[in-house]
Each structure stands twice: as C-alpha cells, then as structure tokens.
Amino acid sequence: MCVSRCLRCVGVALVPMAIVCILCNILLLFPDLKIHFLLEKHVTKEATWATGLWASGLMVLLGARGFIQTSKTRGCCAFRGQMLCQVIYSGLAFLAAAICCYVSATGLVQGPKCLYNTSSGLTWGVPLKPIPGRFSGYLHNQTLWSGVCLEPRSVVQWNVVLFSVMGATSALEAVLCAVNILNSLLGLVLGQGFCNNKVNPGHT
C-alpha cells in the first residue's frame, strides 16, 4: 500500500537527518572542542537555544518512530485513526524542523560570539553582525573570517559549516514532513487501497 510505504520511507529517512542535527548543535556548543566557552557563556546564542537537539532532533525522531510504526497498521478504522494522528505528528515535526531551520539561518547571518578587538580593548560580542546601511555581513567577505575573531580559534568557519549543515538538514526534514502531511491526508480520506485506483468496499 502506497501510504504505508511512504510513511516508512519518510520515517527511515528522517532518522539520520535528526542525528545530524543533534550532532551539529552539540558541536556548536563547544567551539574549538572546549567546554569552558560554554561554561563562561561565550557561545553564540542561537546555538544555546538548542533547536537542533529538541526540535529537529528529538521531536523529529519521535515523529519518525511514529511514522514507521504506523506503516504496519492494518484494518480500516485503525488505519484511518492512525492517519489522523500522523497528520498531527507530521505537523508538529514540520513546525519543529522549520524553527530549527530559521534559527540556523539566523545564527549563520548574525555570526558567532567571539573575543575581538575594540577601541577600548578586547571584548566578547558579535562583531560580524550585519548593520543596515553600514555593514552587510561577513558571509561574502572571507577575509573577515580569520581577521576579526581572536577566540575561540576558527570560530567563524566552525559556525558557518555547522549552522549551514544544520539549516539545510532541518529544511529537508521540513520538506519530508510536509510530504508526509499530504500523504497522511490521502490515507485518511481514501484509505489504504487508493494506490490501486480503487477503494475496497470493505474499507468504506
């Protein structure tokens, strides 16, 4: 049955994506692989929101588990009941992935929190943050990637790579969850047999 196969495929595909988001967010919390930056609150705030852990990570994993289990459901009433649940679960997973994607994009554009030189000496802040009308940002000017932030070491490249991977992965998760919403709605309305271009009378 197409609905069940699609549910299982989406569920299986979401598992490694959720794990990637979890790993990316964990690494973002430990720039230069050192814990003291986190303990001293010198970590980019978008990383500390941990959307890769609880949103694109845990919530999507729970949704994927539900998709795989539902793909084994048999019987008209049980199947349609599960499809209704899947519409809700898919919607929540979509929202979670979209939140993570937005936060990742924000963290990427704003730039990392780091130690940098100012006229009054060394200070911690977000020196690469875009300023409307004055500074368009650092993403297209790679000379700033190594010339502004002093600590943590290579934090700009660290954030660019990890936020990019987490953002792209969570965006793909959101697309798959959106597909699953449509798939679940089809299963809810048409039942298990719609792939055969007919509806079994016993399923109406």
Side-chain angles (χ1 to χ4, degrees):
M1 289 158 288
C2 286
V3 175
S4 296
R5 285 198 299 269
C6 185
L7 280 170
R8 183 170 181 80
C9 289
V10 170
V12 170
L14 286 175
V15 172
M17 294 181 194
I19 293 173
V20 167
C21 288
I22 290 172
L23 292 176
C24 284
N25 207 142
I26 290 174
L27 289 173
L28 282 166
L29 292 172
F30 302 103
D32 204 17
L33 295 178
K34 295 178 180 176
I35 193 173
H36 70 87
F37 294 115
L38 177 62
L39 297 177
E40 295 168 1
K41 299 182 179 179
H42 294 324
V43 174
T44 307
K45 66 179 181 179
E46 288 81 8
T48 63
W49 292 346
T51 52
L53 295 176
W54 64 264
S56 280
L58 181 59
M59 287 190 68
V60 170
L61 275 177
L62 291 174
R65 180 175 177 270
F67 302 158
I68 294 171
Q69 288 182 336
T70 300
S71 68
K72 302 174 184 178
T73 301
R74 296 293 180 268
C76 178
C77 293
F79 183 80
R80 283 196 162 114
Q82 286 293 335
M83 287 301 100
L84 180 59
C85 291
Q86 288 311 311
V87 171
I88 298 172
Y89 295 155
S90 298
L92 291 174
F94 171 83
L95 181 61
I99 289 172
C100 184
C101 183
Y102 176 77
V103 170
S104 298
T106 302
L108 182 63
V109 171
Q110 295 294 313
K113 186 175 185 179
C114 64
L115 183 68
Y116 66 102
N117 271 312
T118 66
S119 56
S120 56
L122 295 175
T123 187
W124 286 91
V126 187
L128 300 176
K129 180 170 60 176
I131 302 173
R134 294 174 56 191
F135 177 56
S136 60
Y138 70 100
L139 290 174
H140 301 294
N141 186 356
Q142 294 190 14
T143 58
L144 298 174
W145 291 23
S146 58
V148 176
C149 290
L150 304 177
E151 287 189 14
R153 185 179 56 182
S154 302
V155 68
V156 177
Q157 293 91 327
W158 187 265
N159 273 31
V160 167
V161 171
L162 293 174
F163 271 127
S164 296
V165 172
M166 190 165 71
T169 304
S170 57
L172 187 53
E173 286 179 339
V175 170
L176 289 177
C177 289
V179 169
N180 209 49
I181 291 173
L182 296 175
N183 177 62
S184 299
L185 286 172
L186 285 173
L188 178 64
V189 174
L190 301 176
Q192 292 174 296
F194 79 91
C195 277
N196 299 323
N197 296 321
K198 64 180 181 179
V199 178
N200 192 315
H203 289 176
T204 57

